[in-house]
Each structure stands twice: as C-alpha cells, then as structure tokens.
C-alpha cells in the first residue's frame, strides 16, 4: 500500500515517514506543495496525507487541483488549523478525512487504514482467504493457527494482493503500490518478494494461495 | 447623590415650582394686602376729614359737634370704632361713647401726613388707628354785622391745634387677609400636588429613549461585537452617546479580533512543533529500537523543544513589552563591537550558506542604550538576514550618527519580497512564505519583537526595499 505524505515541517515529516513505513506502507514524502501536486498526479497512491500550510502551494489548492483533474485518491488533511470552518472547507473541497495537529500516531494510522479499506471497498479489517487470515489493523497474518512473521515489505505485498483478491495484479501495479517512488529497486524485485512471501505463507500439502497468472502477474485467492 | 434620573428631574421640577409659587403667592399677597390696607386707610382719612370739619373754634373755644357721638359707627356694640379729641395742652375735648373709660393716645401726624398705628384695645379688639393734628375751622361772624371795635382791634385770633385719633376695628380686614393667605396656600399646595401627577408621567415618557438605549446596550453580546446601536429615530441629546458607544464597540471589536487572531496564531504555532514531538515519540515507542535511533529521536525532540522555548520567550517578551513591564538600563555601547558579538552565533550558519558579512560601522560610534535588549534586536535581525539571504549573498551593517540619534542599517541581498510584503514584515506571525512552518525563532515573531523593543528603547524600525536588497533601518537615541 502506498501513501503520499505532503508535510513541510521536517520533524513531523521524518517521524511520520518512519512510522508509516514501519507499519507496512510505502511512503513518498515531500515538503513542497508544487512537488506534492506533481507526485499526486503522476502516481497512483492509495492515500494522500496532506498538510494545509505548505510552501509553494497550499494544501487546499492542491486538493482542488487534484479533484479538478479527476483524481479520486483518498485524501486525509493534516493541519494545525482546526476551526470548524477549516474542517468544513477542507471536506467540502473533496477531502475524505481531517486530523488536527497534534494527533496520536495510532489515530492517524487507523484513519489511513480506514481510508485504504474504503479504496478497495473492504469494510472488514480482517481479510480471510481460505485459512489465511490477514488482520489489517494489527498487521498480523495467520495461516490456520500459525502466526506468520512477515517483514514490512512482505506484509505490504500480501496486503495489496489481498485487497485485490481474486484479481490478477500486474507486476507494475505491485511495484507502484509497494515500492516508493524514489526506490531504486528493479521490477524483478517483485518476483523475488513473491518468492519470499510464498515461502512464508504456503504450507506443504495445502493448495497454493498465490498463483502466477501467465503474462499478467499474480493472483491471491478467488473472488469472494 | 440621587441615583435616579427620574427622581432628580421630578424633584428638580417640583422644587422649582414650589419656589415660583412661593414667590408669586408672596407678591400677590403683598399687593392685595397693601391695596386693602390703603382702602382701609383712605376710609380712615375721610372719616378724619369729616370729624375735623365738624370741629370749629369760636374765639378761643373749640367746639366739637356732639352729633358725632351719635354716629352709628361709634355707638354700636359690635366692633365699634373709636375717636378722641384733645387740645394742644392735652385737655380732652370729646370722645366716642364706645371708648367708655378706655383711652386712646395721640401719636403725632397731620392731615397731610397722618400716622397709622395698629394695636389692640384693652378688650382685645384689634384696631388700626390714625392720628392727626389739625387747626379747627374758625367760626367767623356773619357779614351783615359790622365788626365791633374790639373785633377790629383784635384782628388775629390764635388758632388752636387739635389732636384727633380715630381707631377702627380691623377684624374684617384681617379676616380678608387670612382668607387670602389660605386661598393662596391651598392653590399652591394643590398645584404642586397635581403637578407631581403630571410631571411624573412626562418624565417617565421623556426617559423612555434611555430605557430603549439600555435594552440595546444589554443586547450587545461580548461574544459578538459586530452589533451596533441603532442611531435612527434618535433624540438629538442621545445621538452623541450612541455614536460614542458605537465608536467604543468598533474599537473593542477590532481589539477583540486582534486578540482572537493572535491567540489562534499562537495556538497554531504551538500545535505544529507539538505534533512533531508527539509523533516522533510515539513512532519511536512503537517498538524496541537500538541506541542510535533513540539518540536521534531524543535529539530531534530536543531541537523542537528549543525552538518552542525560543518562540515562547519571544511571546513573553512581546507580552511584557505590551504591558510595559520591561525595564531598561542605560549602558555605554560601542555599536560595531556589539554587532560583532551578536554575529558570533550565526557564523556557522553563514559559512554553511556561504554568506559574508561586512560590518561597516565605525568603531567610534557609541550610543547609550540597553545592551541586553539592543543585542536581542540585532541578533534577531542578523538571524533573519542569515536565513533569508541568497546562498553566496552578502549581509552588511552601517551606522549614521545624527544630532540626537544613530541610524543603524542591516541589509542583505537576495530578497524576493514585493513592496507590499515588505510592509508587513513587522506583523505578528508574518512570514515571507505564508505556508512556511519553520518554528521557533522563525515563527514570524522575530521582526515584530525587533520593532517593539526598538520602540520601547525610544527609537523606531522601518523597512526599505531596493531591488533585491532588503534593508532594516533602526533609529536609536544616543
């Protein structure tokens, strides 16, 4: 799952990026409004976290421009302005959620998760595929009764496949949603990680969960 | 001190009325009384004239007509009048029967200038008496007889002086005057009583606009100062009050709005670094980390708290300046040296940004000012300059001495502000880039503080823009 964080206050930018990455997100970060708009238009993010007071271009303008361009990415506004008018203006301009600074990191995370599930029309935070269970909130994965230990990257990959369960997901899609923009990883890294993931979630004697769809990519489970 | 305007107006009106009624009643009483007394006296005089006419002198003998005694006035039992005649030697000539054994006593006066006297008879009857002295008519012999020899040899008969006192009862007069007094008193009292009933509603109605004004003022809510008092259909006397009140409301509204904006700004400026600390700490606490990571997180938090502290110090300094709680010393300051000292704190940053400083102030320029505060001003300006000068740019300082002040210029290259933006640099929380959220010293308070302190030191701070050169000019009294 990939996020864009547009926040110019360095300490906040740094800690949020770190925290979100550790929570299994691929995070692109920028502190400049114009750059943020460019990132948001040229990539397909699952959620954008947007500060309002930014150098270059303010958050509300970015929001307006994105919506005008038809970008439907879920946007969470993060700002120190918390008057009723500020909230209403933000939401009316097409923001999906609003969080006033200072906030609890857990709350931000919960809201980002909620927005993400909305993106994939999943209301249940626990996805079950056969005996594989993915708890999106706790980022815990079980196969049967066994708890699986995944790295953030592996988890992120599994989560993305689970969100699009039953669909053949292209390597490019995976790459775009799991790796950061500046990442130097090549696209065959997806295959490598699928390999790691398979080793951890597949169990001998049980049907394979991740199928390779020739020429199209990978598929997790069947459409529920 | 009466608290009620209504009571005051009522008491004032009624007191004025009482005074007027008293004055007019007195005048009426005095006029009528003197008219009545004059009439009484006129009647006394005519009686006197009549009685004196009935007195004649035959040779040396004076004779008073005895018929006078029979006149009803002097005879009646009820409230009789009295008279008594005397000759010049005090011998009584005649008295009214009403006098009986009582005596009147003469007290001078002539027919032309009679003298009046008020007294009571021994029986308690109040009287007003007139006293005159007159020469009685001479009884001349008839012309048909020739004058005798002796009469001719005695051509002049000594005319005697007769004194007459007439006293007449004044009960009626006094009754009339008493009645007049009563009438005037009753009229006055009832006028005052009635006027109270008339004046009270008039005053009440007259004061109604005050009540409506009070209601309007009452409706002004401290939460919403946009309300104004309606000045239409206003009594001219109240218009200035309403206008002043509206002026006051406008000023209050402005100052409240300024306060509110300032508080919102402060809250905003504090929320951002607080969010930084909270999120750094929370993310760090998410799991067990190695020492390096903890160290980085703690250093980050420390840096943020230092910036927050700097901002709060600035805010406090501003608040103290506003409340005039700052005290200033008068130190002898060598300006060039002070600037060099202040610059020490920014040399690292200047080297990092490849900025040079040129201190063009002559070492001979001195001023008398508060070292601590002046260096705070200069540090703020240098800090500002070192942050906003273009990389590889230049900062320079200069000073000009006039008769009573020193003008200090701190200038830097690389300014991208417009003239309009430049005019706002001294405003609270103003930043070159409205969205910039650097905290602490760059929270937009530095230049506001510079202006405030310089003004408190008795000087002024202005800004000038020459192409890309940003200049702050300080005037400091010597």
């Amino acid at each position: 799952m990939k996020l864009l964080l547009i926040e110019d206050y360095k300490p906040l930018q740094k800690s949020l990026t770190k925290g979100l990455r550790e929570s299994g997100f691929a995070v692109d970060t920028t502190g400049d409004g114009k750059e943020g708009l460019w990132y948001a238009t040229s990539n397909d993010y699952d959620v954008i976290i947007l500060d309002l007071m930014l150098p270059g271009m303010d958050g509300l303008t970015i929001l307006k421009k994105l919506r005008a361009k038809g970008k439907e990415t879920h946007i969470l506004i993060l700002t120190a302005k918390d008057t009723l008018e500020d909230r209403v203006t933000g939401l009316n301009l097409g923001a999906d959620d609003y969080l006033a600074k200072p906030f609890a990191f857990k709350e931000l995370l919960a809201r980002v998760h909620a927005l993400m599930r909305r993106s994939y029309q999943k209301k249940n935070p626990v996805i079950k595929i056969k005996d594989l269970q993915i708890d999106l909130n706790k980022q815990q994965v079980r196969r049967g009764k066994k708890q699986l230990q995944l790295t953030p990257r592996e988890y992120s990959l599994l989560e993305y496949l689970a969100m699009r369960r039953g669909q053949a997901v292209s390597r490019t899609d995976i790459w775009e949603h799991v790796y950061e923009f500046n990442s130097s990883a090549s696209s065959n890294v997806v295959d490598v990680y699928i390999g790691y993931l398979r080793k951890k979630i597949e169990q001998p004697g049980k049907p394979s969960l991740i199928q390779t769809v020739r020429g199209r990519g990978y598929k997790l489970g069947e459409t529920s | 001190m009466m608290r009620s305007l209504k009571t005051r107006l009522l008491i004032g009106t009624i007191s004025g009325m009482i005074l007027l009624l008293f004055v007019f009643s007195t005048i009426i009483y005095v006029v009528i009384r003197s008219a009545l007394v004059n009439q009484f006296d006129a009647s006394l005089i005519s009686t006197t004239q009549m009685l004196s006419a009935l007195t004649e002198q035959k040779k040396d003998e004076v004779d008073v007509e005895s018929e006078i005694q029979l006149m009803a006035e002097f005879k009646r039992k009820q409230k009789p009048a009295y008279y008594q005649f005397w000759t010049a030697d005090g011998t009584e000539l005649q008295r009214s029967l009403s006098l009986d054994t009582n005596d009147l006593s003469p007290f001078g006066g002539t027919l032309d200038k009679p003298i009046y006297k008020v007294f009571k008879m021994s029986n308690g009857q109040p009287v007003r008496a007139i006293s005159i002295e007159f020469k009685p008519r001479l009884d001349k012999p008839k012309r048909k007889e020739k004058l005798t020899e002796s009469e001719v040899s005695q051509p002049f008969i000594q005319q005697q002086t007769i004194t007459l006192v007439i006293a007449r009862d004044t009960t009626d007069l006094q009754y009339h005057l008493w009645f007049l007094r009563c009438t005037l008193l009753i009229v006055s009292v009832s006028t005052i009583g009635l006027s109270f009933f008339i004046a009270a509603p008039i005053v009440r109605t007259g004061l109604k606009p005050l009540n409506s004004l009070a209601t309007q003022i009452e409706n002004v809510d401290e939460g919403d100062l946009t309300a104004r008092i309606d000045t239409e259909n206003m009594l001219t006397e109240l218009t200035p009050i309403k206008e002043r009140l509206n002026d006051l409301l406008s000023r209050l509204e402005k100052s409240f709005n300024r306060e509110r904006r300032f508080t919102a700004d402060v809250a905003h400026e504090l929320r951002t670094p607080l969010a930084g600390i909270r999120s750094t700490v929370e993310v760090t606490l998410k799991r067990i980390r190695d020492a390096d990571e903890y160290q980085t997180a703690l250093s980050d938090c420390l840096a943020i708290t230092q910036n927050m502290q700097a901002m709060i110090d600035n805010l406090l300094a501003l608040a103290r300046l506003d409340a005039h709680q700052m005290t200033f010393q008068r130190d002898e300051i060598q300006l060039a040296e002070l600037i060099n000292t202040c610059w020490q704190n920014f040399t690292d940053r200047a080297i990092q940004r490849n900025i040079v400083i040129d201190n063009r102030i002559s070492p001979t320029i001195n001023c008398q000012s508060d070292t601590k505060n002046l260096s705070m001003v200069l540090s703020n300006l240098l800090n500002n300059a070192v942050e906003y000068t273009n990389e590889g740019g230049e900062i320079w300082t200069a000073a000009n001495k006039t008769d009573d002040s020193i003008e200090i210029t701190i200038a830097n290259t690389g300014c991208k502000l417009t003239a309009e933006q430049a005019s706002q640099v001294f405003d609270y929380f103003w930043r070159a880039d409205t969205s910039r959220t650097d905290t602490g010293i760059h929270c937009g308070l530095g230049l506001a503080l510079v202006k405030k302190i310089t003004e408190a030191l008795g000087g002024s701070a202005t800004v000038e823009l020459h192409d890309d050169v940003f200049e702050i000019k300080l005037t400091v009294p010597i």
Side-chain angles (χ1 to χ4, degrees), chain B residues 176-196:
Chain B
H176 288 315
L177 290 176
W178 173 81
F179 186 77
L180 179 64
R181 283 198 298 271
C182 285
T183 310
L184 286 173
L185 188 70
I186 289 167
V187 167
S188 301
V189 168
S190 46
T191 307
I192 289 163
L194 285 174
S195 68
F196 182 83

Side-chain angles (χ1 to χ4, degrees), chain A residues 8 14-15 18 22 54 105, chain B residues 279 282 289 300 435 437:
Chain A
D8 69 323
K14 187 174 157 189
S15 59
K18 185 176 180 184
E22 284 175 3
L54 293 163
F105 182 74
Chain B
S279 122
E282 282 183 349
R289 299 175 187 280
D300 287 351
S435 303
T437 37

Side-chain angles (χ1 to χ4, degrees), chain A residues 14-203:
Chain A
K14 187 174 157 189
S15 59
L16 288 184
T17 309
K18 185 176 180 184
L20 289 167
R21 279 189 184 146
E22 284 175 3
S23 306
F25 291 103
V27 185
D28 285 344
T29 304
T30 174
D32 181 84
K34 280 180 190 152
E35 202 174 88
L37 179 65
W38 184 81
Y39 268 103
T41 35
S42 46
N43 290 279
D44 200 9
Y45 291 101
D46 293 305
V47 174
I48 298 172
I49 301 172
L50 179 65
D51 182 25
L52 286 188
M53 288 174 75
L54 293 163
M57 182 184 289
D58 75 278
L60 290 179
T61 315
I62 296 176
L63 184 59
K64 248 189 281 183
K65 293 204 172 194
L66 277 179
R67 294 302 185 228
K69 282 180 182 169
K71 271 275 177 190
E72 295 291 326
T73 319
H74 282 148
I75 294 176
L76 186 149
I77 288 179
L78 202 61
T79 180
K81 285 182 176 175
D82 76 330
T83 63
L84 187 64
E85 290 104 275
D86 289 326
R87 285 167 192 258
V88 170
T89 318
L91 294 175
N92 280 346
L93 282 174
D96 298 272
D97 205 351
Y98 202 107
L99 196 56
K101 293 177 192 172
F103 51 87
F105 182 74
K106 275 183 186 167
E107 189 181 355
L108 175 72
L109 207 56
R111 283 171 190 256
V112 170
H113 275 298
L115 286 179
M116 209 179 59
R117 288 202 306 275
R118 254 206 265 168
S119 304
Y120 295 96
Q121 274 121 35
K122 300 262 186 300
K123 286 203 171 150
N124 192 346
V126 181
I127 299 174
K128 282 182 189 164
I129 299 162
K130 293 187 179 153
D131 61 345
L132 179 75
Q133 225 184 70
I134 306 166
D135 186 328
L136 299 176
N137 289 347
K138 291 180 184 157
Q139 295 163 40
Q140 282 173 359
V141 183
R142 305 165 84 95
R143 182 87 204 253
K145 283 182 181 169
K146 191 186 168 202
Q147 177 120 5
L148 305 178
Q149 297 298 327
L150 303 184
T151 64
R153 187 79 78 202
E154 289 161 0
Y155 172 79
S156 193
L157 177 58
L158 179 64
E159 191 186 53
Y160 183 60
L161 289 175
M163 286 289 190
R164 299 182 61 179
R165 66 183 297 183
Q167 299 171 20
V169 186
S170 72
R171 286 182 180 78
T172 324
D173 266 8
I174 294 173
W175 195 83
E176 272 190 6
H177 281 267
V178 176
Y179 288 88
E180 280 139 25
F181 187 73
N182 293 327
S183 162
S184 54
S186 60
S187 66
N188 88 323
V189 84
V190 173
D191 298 327
V192 175
Y193 268 92
I194 290 285
Y196 291 159
L197 194 57
R198 272 182 170 150
K199 262 186 208 163
K200 288 196 179 170
I201 66 167
E202 304 293 8
Q203 284 175 359

